[in-house]
Amino acid sequence: MSTPGLETLDYVFAGTRAAGAFAPVLVGVVGSGNLEVLLEPVAGSDCRVHIETSARGFGVIWSAVVSDFHQRHQLAGVLLSIHDMGATPAVVSLRLDQAAQELQP
């Protein structure tokens, strides 16, 4: 379900590094120019990414940022939900990496 005024983007990647069972991870704060990332376990071997953003028309950039994240981490069995209020690609990458870092033993 999409929120009025927000663009919704969804991506699915085949993962190779199973995250296993973990408590949901939340990093960042939605606010002016920032975002939050919620990382949750899901069944299967995919890495699913769901984005709701106030910055419409940047699908190509979002695709590049989440593809780069997936190439670095190759997570499987996870859902990344991103709620964005205009964060820069560098901040998005930082928050994604922070969430993945929480899964390290």
Side-chain angles (χ1 to χ4, degrees), residues 11-96:
Y11 302 93
V12 178
F13 302 94
T16 59
R17 188 171 70 91
F22 63 93
V25 172
L26 180 65
V27 296
V29 177
V30 174
S32 178
N34 211 329
L35 78 158
E36 70 180 12
V37 174
L38 176 63
L39 179 59
E40 302 173 278
V42 293
S45 61
D46 288 337
C47 175
R48 297 182 0 229
V49 181
H50 176 77
I51 301 165
E52 291 183 359
T53 179
S54 63
R56 296 178 153 283
F58 291 91
V60 171
I61 293 171
W62 278 105
S63 179
V65 170
V66 297
S67 294
D68 180 65
F69 167 80
H70 186 68
Q71 287 176 358
R72 288 193 314 275
H73 296 283
Q74 295 290 315
L75 295 176
V78 299
L79 168 62
L80 285 156
S81 298
I82 300 170
H83 301 106
D84 171 59
M85 287 302 184
T88 65
V91 172
V92 174
S93 291
L94 172 69
R95 294 286 181 243
L96 289 170

